[in-house]
Amino acid sequence: MAAQVRHEHWSSRFAFLMAAIGSAVGLGNIWRFPFITGENGGGAFILIYLVTTALIALPILIAEVMLGRMGQQSPINAMRAVAQKAGRSKFWVVIGIGSTLGAFVVLSYYSVIGGWAIRYFFYAVSGTFTGMDNDASLALFQTFTADAGQVVLWHTFFIGINVGIVIWGLHAGIEKAVTVLMPLLFILLVGMAIYSSTTPGFEKAVTFLFHFDFGKVTPLTFLTAIGQGFFSVSVALGAMMTYGAYLDKSENIARSGIIIAIADTMVAILAGLVIFPLVFSYGLEAGSGPGLIFVTLPITLGKLGTGIELGAAFFLLLMVAAVTSAISLLEPVVSWAEESLGVKRKVSAAAMGAAAWFVGLGSAFSFNIWSDFHPFSGIDIFADKTIFDALDLTSTSLVMPTVGLLIALFAGWALSAEATAEALNADPDAAWFRWWRFLIRYMAPLGVVSIFVANGLA
Ligand code: PFF
């Protein structure tokens, strides 16, 4: 049963940081952050994002890693152990259940978009973007996503890569992958940012990203920023809790959390500095929504002399970022199955990957044969939502904020100050610890509740 599985531990601090930063840096940074920033007016959004992430997502991230290390198991079993040891109600296991289910569901549809990234990498390599105009780029995107067989094929590849990594366990699988892939990601990103800085649109991009136009700020801007921060630093889906379970007692969790959040934010901003100069160099629309990198970017790439290399580098970057996040979504589910179903890692990784693949079919079909299928239309907010939309909305607007809120309440109120100070290797009177405890008790719950209130009003 649960307590009998002894998991491997990180072989170094570097390995843990690469894995955790790999989890945080993903489609959320390179695909979502630029278009959300574009839609929300640029610099002012970024400033609000920085503040809300530091005050809300970061303290929860620290708490989540801490709970994992306290529990030493996958989220469900970790929460059971920690709640029991603290003499608290079994109810808190709901944090583990919600995050594990959430991770599974997000993996299922994240993998569909991950598959697009792989497909687009091959488009780029084969020179498909060369000479493409707006209509051709849109047509390419639409033709590809409308082909159910194609979308499923690339979704299958993507899940296959993840299973192929996680199946080898922590040292031979996850660590090996992230210690190679993350440095590659940084090199690609910095190289591309340097290139983008030589394009004519660079100045405009810098103004766009760093000019604070508060005229465009509404209450919704804050909520979008909080939600994006949660998704981007990977809180509330059990990934960080699971990685925390593999962390040695001596590791400084607060410092690691700060490093992870800073690296994640820097990558998001760098991704903006790569994408917007290209977008502006050809007078394209910054606020063009989710299609920004799949539709707008190829147009630019097709016009550049260096389009093939740059396009290949960009979509490789996107693939790497997506894979290192997806493995962190698969790991909580796989380690839970090892502990609670008593199966070997090989069986558990293959079975859980296959299950996520199967559930992901619904999302893959949402762009083609099931694009008019709105399965939950009986519920108001899901009226016109495809399976993909509904799963995304449920996980990012419902499951993640709820689990985040519960983590904050558990760590801030159910656990004593002494217990959390000990778990974080902190002096209970240290200024930083008191600040963290203030944020986790008051600020984080308030921030999350405000998301719900605003979503209810929206
Ligand atoms: N942080 C990832 C991204 O920005 O794409 C997504 C993610 C991964 C969220 C793992 C949550 C998680 F547990």
Side-chain angles (χ1 to χ4, degrees), residues 226-388:
I226 298 174
Q228 171 65 17
F230 262 54
F231 191 77
S232 192
V233 301
S234 289
V235 290
L237 288 183
M240 292 298 186
M241 203 183 282
T242 309
Y243 281 1
Y246 308 154
L247 201 57
D248 283 339
K249 285 268 177 277
S250 57
E251 195 54 61
N252 184 332
I253 291 180
R255 185 178 56 191
S256 300
I258 294 170
I259 295 174
I260 297 164
I262 290 178
D264 183 64
T265 306
M266 274 169 45
V267 170
I269 291 177
L270 268 177
L273 281 175
V274 167
I275 293 164
F276 288 115
L278 300 178
V279 169
F280 291 136
S281 291
Y282 291 93
L284 301 169
E285 216 4 86
S288 63
L292 183 65
I293 64 171
F294 288 106
V295 179
T296 310
L297 211 58
I299 303 169
T300 310
L301 294 169
K303 291 191 172 126
L304 287 169
T306 47
I308 293 188
E309 294 83 352
L310 197 68
F314 181 80
F315 286 106
L316 181 65
L317 169 78
L318 192 64
M319 260 165 68
V320 168
V323 167
T324 54
S325 295
I327 55 179
S328 77
L329 292 167
L330 184 54
E331 182 62 23
V333 192
V334 168
S335 61
W336 169 78
E338 278 186 291
E339 293 162 7
S340 295
L341 306 178
V343 288
K344 287 255 176 328
R345 172 160 286 257
K346 291 207 164 42
V347 177
S348 136
M352 294 302 144
W357 174 84
F358 182 73
V359 172
L361 291 179
S363 295
F365 294 153
S366 297
F367 298 93
N368 34 70
I369 51 178
W370 288 354
S371 59
D372 292 326
F373 177 42
H374 306 139
F376 315 104
S377 51
I379 310 170
D380 239 17
I381 50 164
F382 293 129
D384 53 351
K385 299 279 186 271
T386 60
I387 295 182
F388 176 89

Side-chain angles (χ1 to χ4, degrees), residues 38-404:
E39 285 176 343
N40 285 279
F45 174 79
I46 293 187
L47 187 67
I48 294 168
Y49 174 82
L50 295 178
V51 174
T52 54
T53 299
L55 298 184
I56 299 170
L58 173 61
I60 299 181
L61 170 68
I62 293 172
E64 187 175 334
V65 176
M66 175 192 82
L67 291 174
R69 183 164 74 180
M70 291 171 89
Q72 290 288 303
Q73 301 278 312
S74 71
I76 294 177
N77 294 320
M79 283 310 303
R80 183 176 297 122
V82 177
Q84 200 174 29
K85 189 158 174 246
R88 294 297 174 178
S89 146
K90 281 201 182 93
F91 161 80
W92 295 106
V93 176
V94 73
I95 292 178
I97 299 173
S99 47
T100 308
L101 280 175
F104 179 79
V105 167
V106 171
L107 173 65
S108 77
Y109 71 81
Y110 199 85
S111 166
V112 173
I113 311 289
W116 296 1
I118 308 183
R119 180 67 194 105
Y120 265 66
F121 170 71
F122 286 107
Y123 278 143
V125 172
S126 62
T128 307
F129 304 146
T130 309
M132 225 159 50
D133 61 13
N134 295 20
D135 293 345
S137 181
L138 188 62
L140 178 73
F141 182 68
Q142 285 171 343
T143 312
F144 165 59
T145 51
D147 187 336
Q150 278 287 313
V151 176
V152 170
L153 178 73
W154 297 98
H155 161 60
T156 310
F157 272 135
F158 187 84
I159 287 267
I161 295 173
N162 289 290
V163 171
I165 295 172
V166 169
I167 212 164
W168 296 106
L170 191 67
H171 291 159
I174 296 180
E175 281 191 7
K176 265 222 169 88
V178 296
T179 47
V180 173
L181 294 177
M182 293 311 290
L184 173 70
L185 182 143
F186 291 123
I187 294 170
L188 285 170
L189 193 64
V190 171
M192 278 186 293
I194 292 173
Y195 174 82
S196 275
S197 70
T198 64
T199 61
F202 185 68
E203 238 185 81
K204 194 161 170 203
V206 170
T207 313
F208 177 72
L209 289 171
F210 303 113
H211 178 259
F212 307 127
D213 177 3
F214 284 98
K216 295 205 180 92
V217 173
T218 65
L220 205 65
T221 317
F222 282 87
L223 302 165
T224 310
I226 298 174
Q228 171 65 17
F230 262 54
F231 191 77
S232 192
V233 301
S234 289
V235 290
L237 288 183
M240 292 298 186
M241 203 183 282
T242 309
Y243 281 1
Y246 308 154
L247 201 57
D248 283 339
K249 285 268 177 277
S250 57
E251 195 54 61
N252 184 332
I253 291 180
R255 185 178 56 191
S256 300
I258 294 170
I259 295 174
I260 297 164
I262 290 178
D264 183 64
T265 306
M266 274 169 45
V267 170
I269 291 177
L270 268 177
L273 281 175
V274 167
I275 293 164
F276 288 115
L278 300 178
V279 169
F280 291 136
S281 291
Y282 291 93
L284 301 169
E285 216 4 86
S288 63
L292 183 65
I293 64 171
F294 288 106
V295 179
T296 310
L297 211 58
I299 303 169
T300 310
L301 294 169
K303 291 191 172 126
L304 287 169
T306 47
I308 293 188
E309 294 83 352
L310 197 68
F314 181 80
F315 286 106
L316 181 65
L317 169 78
L318 192 64
M319 260 165 68
V320 168
V323 167
T324 54
S325 295
I327 55 179
S328 77
L329 292 167
L330 184 54
E331 182 62 23
V333 192
V334 168
S335 61
W336 169 78
E338 278 186 291
E339 293 162 7
S340 295
L341 306 178
V343 288
K344 287 255 176 328
R345 172 160 286 257
K346 291 207 164 42
V347 177
S348 136
M352 294 302 144
W357 174 84
F358 182 73
V359 172
L361 291 179
S363 295
F365 294 153
S366 297
F367 298 93
N368 34 70
I369 51 178
W370 288 354
S371 59
D372 292 326
F373 177 42
H374 306 139
F376 315 104
S377 51
I379 310 170
D380 239 17
I381 50 164
F382 293 129
D384 53 351
K385 299 279 186 271
T386 60
I387 295 182
F388 176 89
D389 296 334
L391 294 181
D392 183 38
L393 187 71
T394 313
S395 4
T396 54
S397 307
L398 194 71
V399 177
M400 290 179 84
T402 307
V403 171

